Amino acid sequence: MEFSIRIGDITTEDCDAIVNAANETLLGGGGVDGAIHRAAGPALLEACRSIGGCPVGSVRLTPGFELPAPWVIHAVGPIWHGGAQGEPEHLRSCYLRSFNLAERYNFDSIAFPAISTGMFRYPVSDATRIALSIARDCDQPGSCIDTVTFVCFDAATAEIYREIYREVFDADPAQA
Ligand code: APR
């Protein structure tokens, strides 16, 4: 598996699946969720409506419709309430289930936003450590996934990703 960190808009990612930072309704919102719905077009909302919601820590799959990515994995991250209400377990579960779903569907490339670190207020360094540790643990021989991109919306978040990448992987990160 190759990991890279890039600054930009995840809706432009040309990979098998982009991950959305959704909420339990799956009916859209602001942030990356709003951007994905705008770029995918109204058929995405219809597909999400027919799923009927998703619990925190879980994921659901839809087509990408008008997005360059053919698939969207909707992950429902936790709202940060101080860290003692299962937030780390739920965030770990979002990343792990996203990787598991990508394996099940034979995706070879996947892109993640910084789930829960915007409106849901999860501290960025802690969330990044979870994202990158799960990615390292999912990098197993025989995996169909060969490219994993962490798309950061701003330079400050990307810098935190790079720093924590060095800590978790004991190597310098690639830049996409
Ligand atoms: N591409 C990549 N990253 C983005 C984009 C984008 N187009 N837009 C925003 N981001 C970044 C934010 O800067 C933040 O770092 O995604 C990260 C996650 O922020 P949010 O989108 O606010 O997601 P989250 O904190 O998980 O909150 C989810 O927000 O919009 C609602 O419906 C969503 O209720 C849910 C909640």
Side-chain angles (χ1 to χ4, degrees):
M1 249 178 233
E2 278 184 18
F3 301 106
S4 59
I5 296 162
R6 131 173 137 77
I7 302 170
D9 177 357
I10 201 167
T11 64
T12 66
E13 278 293 311
D14 189 6
C15 58
D16 281 344
I18 61 169
V19 177
N20 183 17
N23 60 51
E24 285 174 288
T25 69
L26 296 184
L27 296 180
V32 67
D33 197 4
I36 288 174
H37 275 270
R38 277 193 300 279
L44 180 60
L45 184 58
E46 278 319 300
C48 286
R49 189 169 280 134
S50 74
I51 292 171
C54 174
V56 180
S58 269
V59 300
R60 296 290 184 269
L61 187 68
T62 67
F65 299 101
E66 294 169 40
L67 288 165
W71 298 98
V72 178
I73 297 172
H74 303 265
V76 181
I79 299 173
W80 180 257
H81 290 295
Q85 295 187 35
E87 295 94 328
E89 292 74 18
H90 283 138
L91 191 61
R92 256 183 238 122
S93 170
C94 282
Y95 282 99
L96 190 57
R97 287 171 189 230
S98 296
F99 275 102
N100 290 344
L101 199 61
E103 293 285 353
R104 200 176 327 140
Y105 281 81
N106 239 9
F107 296 155
D108 65 25
S109 50
I110 180 170
F112 287 94
I115 301 170
S116 281
T117 65
M119 277 183 221
F120 283 178
R121 303 183 314 271
Y122 207 110
V124 180
S125 296
D126 295 342
T128 305
R129 198 164 285 112
I130 287 176
L132 296 179
S133 311
I134 297 281
R136 179 201 55 206
D137 295 349
C138 288
D139 185 8
Q140 298 291 332
S143 168
C144 58
I145 306 168
D146 53 40
T147 310
V148 180
T149 308
F150 294 96
V151 183
C152 301
F153 207 44
D154 54 75
T157 305
E159 196 40 52
I160 293 172
Y161 265 76
R162 287 191 201 107
E163 228 176 86
I164 293 179
Y165 186 96
R166 288 184 199 103
E167 197 185 285
V168 170
F169 287 88
D170 201 20
D172 283 329
Q175 284 185 51

